[in-house]
Amino acid sequence: MVKRTFAALLGFIISFSIYAQELTPQEIQLDKKLSTLKNELLVKASQNKLAIYSSSFTQLRPFIESSALYKLFQSMPKGGLLHCHNGAIVNPNWLIGTAAKYNNCYVYTGKGDNKFIYGQLAVFTKGRAPKDFLPLQQYLKRDKNAAGSIFKLLTLNRSELSDYIDTWVEFEKRFKRIGMLVAYRPFFKEYFQEAFYELVRDNIQHVEIRYGFGKLFDEKDDNYPADTAISDLKMIVAEIQKTYPAFTLKLIYSSFKFLDTTAVSQDLTAAFLLKQKYPELISGFDLVADEATNHTVGYYAPVWNSLPALEKQYGITMPLYLHAGESSTTANTNLVDVPFQFNRRIGHGLNLVYFPDIMQRVKAADNLVEVSPISNQELNYVSDLRNHPARVLIANGVPCSINSDDPGVYGYDGLSYDFWVAFMAWDLDVAKLKKLITNSIIYSSLSEEEKKTALTHLSKEWNNFVVAAYRL
């Protein structure tokens, strides 16, 4: 359990200034600096008549990027990114530019049907591409706005969605549009190398990906096993560690809430087999998909009840990191059904504030809530970030961390934007920032020894950041 791990680590981490809630003199100066920058931004936003708490990310982004606060957060060590998905972690501008380098990459220009949708990118290795697929290179040469058109199809802009449009339907189209491209093994390797470099450039040292194991292919093989993806990812991480030795990766095997218990049980068994082979990389299990239209966490109770027998059979544990409470209504009771005896973290937990007794269970089980402010707002769960449930959770001592969820879908990368909006809206200060950042390592799925190494690095980087910020 995390509590036992935390207790074992407590003596080790308590000496780190990033963990201590009593601020150093330099951190006090940093706190004052952050407060000043925030107040200046509030005045500027008022002058520009910009609603910074309720504007869409697309509208707010230029204002964020022009601010000294954003540049400061870019340089801030952020620890770990604990909640993101493998289909949406790179900057879409990079994705379009890189896809255009492949002669065998196509874009679908037809009206769309059950198989393909307009703007879908795909690589075809054998024979001619299906009808209505145009070579991407040719498509981009048609007019100067072609790349921008693709960008809009790959991203979700809340300000352009009508009230009658199903946000989740539009959201999931973004994943479909790149799925067949990312499954092409040469692009897959470039994709994750770029994703990890984007993270380290934003001072993120650890990442845990909700990973759906699809089928990789290339000219040599139409269906590589999951071992190939793992081997490729390990090689990419090893290459990055030559330059950034502190960088680490874990994968949380992800199945889907639209599957029945039989299919999810099969995926859980597959997760056990992979973790048995790759215990250093596979760390747990989750279910993803829209909570409003798919099966509940409670529906899968027979699957969760099978965990003790499976753990005994395979000789390993399989912690759960369940998405639950990604909703703004009390009708969603997924949090009530979370099997806390197996669960370690909660993805989103937005409606946790409506269930005070469950909030106490979350605290008692020492589960961390993975908060993704921009994603939560862009998917219309929160209209005004000042009303984000995370403010209540943090105030009530529920462990939280800051995450990006699907930044590629919203047109960005890294975590600096999420820290910016959270800081501006949630009355955060340096002490709370330190807690959020430290939580991302303490509640990660790293082993105890890996956490010690990660915390040592984080503390050093934090101290360097504070000194540098103090001198500005």
Side-chain angles (χ1 to χ4, degrees):
M1 292 293 290
V2 173
K3 276 189 173 181
R4 290 198 290 270
T5 301
F6 180 79
L9 288 169
L10 185 58
F12 178 75
I13 65 176
I14 202 165
S15 61
F16 292 156
S17 62
I18 189 172
Y19 180 75
Q21 291 302 288
E22 183 176 341
L23 302 185
T24 66
Q26 289 176 323
E27 287 175 335
I28 291 173
Q29 291 301 313
L30 173 60
D31 201 35
K32 293 178 180 177
K33 183 183 184 70
L34 289 172
S35 179
T36 298
L37 291 175
K38 176 181 177 179
N39 290 332
E40 290 173 351
L41 285 171
L42 292 174
V43 171
K44 184 177 180 181
S46 178
Q47 292 171 343
N48 294 343
K49 299 187 182 332
L50 178 64
I52 64 171
Y53 302 118
S54 56
S55 294
S56 73
F57 175 71
T58 303
Q59 294 169 321
L60 188 59
R61 182 173 184 167
F63 185 77
I64 295 175
E65 292 177 343
S66 67
S67 69
L69 180 65
Y70 173 69
K71 294 175 176 59
L72 193 61
F73 280 142
Q74 282 183 303
S75 67
M76 182 180 72
K78 301 169 187 67
L81 168 57
L82 301 184
H83 190 121
C84 62
H85 297 264
N86 60 298
I89 54 175
V90 302
N91 190 300
N93 282 314
W94 174 91
L95 186 144
I96 296 166
T98 303
K101 297 177 183 177
Y102 287 82
N103 294 329
N104 55 357
C105 182
Y106 295 78
V107 58
Y108 187 70
T109 58
K111 293 183 178 180
D113 51 34
N114 292 332
K115 191 172 184 180
F116 303 116
I117 60 173
Y118 184 79
Q120 185 168 350
L121 301 174
V123 169
F124 298 101
T125 59
K126 296 178 181 178
R128 297 181 62 181
K131 181 184 176 183
D132 293 323
F133 272 95
L134 189 69
L136 180 60
Q137 295 173 347
Q138 181 180 336
Y139 178 87
L140 292 175
K141 291 178 181 177
R142 294 201 309 186
D143 65 77
K144 63 180 181 179
N145 298 319
S149 298
I150 294 289
F151 181 89
K152 286 186 176 181
L153 290 169
L154 299 185
T155 55
L156 191 71
N157 183 353
R158 181 167 53 97
S159 65
E160 296 179 353
L161 296 178
S162 302
D163 291 339
Y164 61 84
I165 291 179
D166 189 319
T167 302
W168 261 87
V169 170
E170 290 301 310
F171 176 66
E172 290 175 341
K173 286 180 182 178
R174 274 63 186 169
F175 291 87
K176 185 170 184 177
R177 286 191 174 108
I178 69 168
M180 292 179 67
L181 171 62
V182 178
Y184 181 53
R185 191 180 176 196
F187 190 87
F188 171 90
K189 290 190 278 190
E190 284 201 77
Y191 176 93
F192 279 100
Q193 183 179 59
E194 172 64 17
F196 298 155
Y197 274 122
E198 287 176 358
L199 295 178
V200 295
R201 285 196 294 266
D202 201 42
N203 288 292
I204 299 163
Q205 68 185 71
H206 175 65
V207 60
E208 304 198 354
I209 303 174
R210 264 37 176 231
Y211 193 92
F213 281 90
K215 298 178 180 180
L216 292 185
F217 72 96
D218 61 15
E219 288 77 5
K220 298 177 182 178
D221 196 324
D222 287 336
N223 186 11
Y224 282 100
D227 303 77
T228 301
I230 290 176
S231 175
D232 288 345
L233 290 169
K234 290 176 70 173
M235 288 182 63
I236 294 167
V237 170
E239 184 64 28
I240 289 175
Q241 287 174 339
K242 292 178 181 178
T243 308
Y244 303 96
F247 182 76
T248 48
L249 166 70
K250 299 290 183 183
L251 302 180
I252 297 171
Y253 192 111
S254 296
S255 185
F256 300 95
K257 288 188 174 79
F258 51 75
L259 299 176
D260 62 21
T261 53
T262 300
V264 170
S265 292
Q266 292 171 348
D267 283 344
L268 181 59
T269 298
F272 269 98
L273 289 168
L274 280 178
K275 187 176 182 183
Q276 195 175 52
K277 293 174 70 173
Y278 308 102
E280 75 287 357
L281 192 61
I282 307 296
S283 62
F285 188 82
D286 187 19
L287 296 175
V288 301
D290 183 9
E291 293 187 32
T293 58
N294 294 294
H295 295 307
T296 65
V297 170
Y299 168 82
Y300 296 103
V303 180
W304 315 140
N305 292 337
S306 72
L307 276 167
L310 289 169
E311 291 181 340
K312 183 177 181 180
Q313 177 183 347
Y314 291 100
I316 54 175
T317 61
M318 185 63 69
L320 301 178
Y321 300 90
L322 292 178
H323 277 67
E326 189 177 9
S327 171
S328 56
T329 172
T330 56
N332 180 315
T333 59
N334 277 329
L335 284 163
V336 177
D337 298 323
V338 170
F340 286 104
Q341 68 271 34
F342 307 120
N343 202 66
R344 298 291 184 270
R345 301 196 308 259
I346 293 170
H348 300 295
L350 285 165
N351 71 349
L352 181 58
V353 294
Y354 302 142
F355 302 97
D357 55 332
I358 303 302
M359 189 187 301
Q360 293 307 312
R361 288 186 65 188
V362 169
K363 292 173 67 174
D366 205 27
N367 271 211
L368 174 132
V369 177
E370 304 157 343
V371 180
S372 302
I374 292 175
S375 178
N376 297 155
Q377 188 175 47
E378 292 302 292
L379 288 177
N380 286 319
Y381 293 114
V382 181
S383 58
D384 186 316
L385 280 174
R386 290 170 296 186
N387 298 327
H388 194 289
R391 294 185 73 179
V392 178
L393 299 180
I394 293 170
N396 281 273
V398 176
C400 296
S401 69
I402 301 294
N403 302 274
S404 57
D405 196 18
D406 301 294
V409 172
Y410 311 119
Y412 73 98
D413 58 79
L415 272 176
S416 293
Y417 296 100
D418 286 278
F419 269 97
W420 191 98
V421 298
F423 181 80
M424 292 297 296
W426 298 351
D427 297 323
L428 299 180
D429 54 21
V430 167
K432 291 174 183 175
L433 287 171
K434 287 166 59 175
K435 187 70 171 175
L436 290 165
I437 293 167
T438 310
N439 281 348
S440 71
I441 299 298
I442 294 173
Y443 290 87
S444 72
S445 61
L446 293 165
S447 69
E448 185 175 325
E449 287 304 311
E450 288 173 329
K451 286 180 182 179
K452 288 182 178 180
T453 301
L455 286 165
T456 299
H457 175 78
L458 176 59
S459 181
K460 179 182 177 181
E461 292 299 302
W462 175 263
N463 291 337
N464 291 340
F465 162 71
V466 172
V467 170
Y470 175 75
R471 291 173 177 170
L472 292 176

